[in-house]
Amino acid sequence: MKTNQRFNWAVSVLDIAPSDNVLELGCGVGFAVSLIAPLLEKGTITAIDKSDSMVQKAMERNRAFIKTKKAQVLKRALLALKPGPQGYNKIFAFNVNVFWTTSAAKELAIIRQHLARKGTLYLFYQPPSTGGMKRICETVRQNLAQEQFKVKEILFEESPAIASCCIVASL
């Protein structure tokens, strides 16, 4: 239940529109895909993960959405993602540590290639203790600014069941 609550909060922050084209980085077992795909009419969600087992679980969980082409799940690392013909207006990740443990310059360059002109990047974190949230958010904010991303806002959800933060940025 705790996992679903944090993803419910994340999807509410993403404010999915029926025509959004969404990219999830590090989809795990596909919880977010299963919450976002039903909200899409003309839009799609593409989810990537570098783990075979996570991709298989995400595909099983979202089989119906994959069949209707609302969703696709790919075994792919972010750095191996090739630019496609259409930019994503929303890109998000949950607990992808590279954005706060390193400068993430290479990863942010790939995101820059995939983010639509007026698109938004959402980086969610649920650290083991709420004390780490502010430190993580500040480090991510600095890393984004260093790569010329504009941080629009930093959101905190500090309820015991969720205890997460989100850094919202654009180009």
Side-chain angles (χ1 to χ4, degrees):
M1 187 63 140
K2 187 175 181 180
T3 299
N4 289 333
Q5 289 176 347
R6 73 177 174 163
F7 283 105
N8 286 331
W9 176 72
V11 171
S12 73
V13 169
L14 290 168
D15 191 25
I16 299 297
S19 61
D20 279 342
N21 289 307
V22 182
L23 173 63
E24 180 181 11
L25 311 174
C27 67
V29 297
F31 279 122
V33 174
S34 68
L35 295 172
I36 292 170
L39 304 174
L40 299 169
E41 291 172 16
K42 293 182 180 179
T44 61
I45 180 165
T46 300
I48 64 169
D49 203 293
K50 59 185 177 181
S51 164
D52 281 325
S53 64
M54 292 296 108
V55 167
Q56 287 304 313
K57 289 175 184 175
M59 290 176 75
E60 289 169 24
R61 176 182 302 278
N62 295 288
R63 184 175 297 129
F65 302 121
I66 293 168
K67 187 175 181 178
T68 61
K69 301 195 186 308
K70 282 187 178 185
Q72 66 174 332
V73 179
L74 306 172
K75 182 186 181 291
R76 191 118 345 122
L78 174 58
L79 292 178
L81 198 59
K82 303 286 186 238
Q86 182 176 0
Y88 296 98
N89 63 309
K90 293 180 180 171
I91 297 177
F92 77 99
F94 215 114
N95 289 335
V96 174
N97 291 336
V98 70
F99 300 108
W100 74 274
T101 58
T102 70
S103 74
K106 290 178 185 175
E107 290 81 2
L108 291 169
I110 297 291
I111 288 171
R112 182 183 315 282
Q113 294 173 5
H114 288 275
L115 194 61
R117 200 170 119 254
K118 293 186 178 185
T120 306
L121 172 64
Y122 301 82
L123 299 175
F124 295 91
Y125 291 94
Q126 186 180 37
S129 70
T130 56
M133 274 198 289
K134 291 189 183 353
R135 179 177 51 86
I136 288 171
C137 288
E138 179 55 24
T139 303
V140 171
R141 186 197 64 71
Q142 289 172 4
N143 288 342
L144 288 167
Q146 185 174 330
E147 299 303 319
Q148 282 68 54
F149 280 79
K150 297 175 189 91
V151 174
K152 295 177 171 182
E153 61 185 327
I154 299 176
L155 305 169
F156 293 94
E157 174 54 62
E158 298 189 60
S159 65
I162 300 171
S164 298
C165 61
C166 177
I167 301 91
V168 182
S170 63
L171 293 175

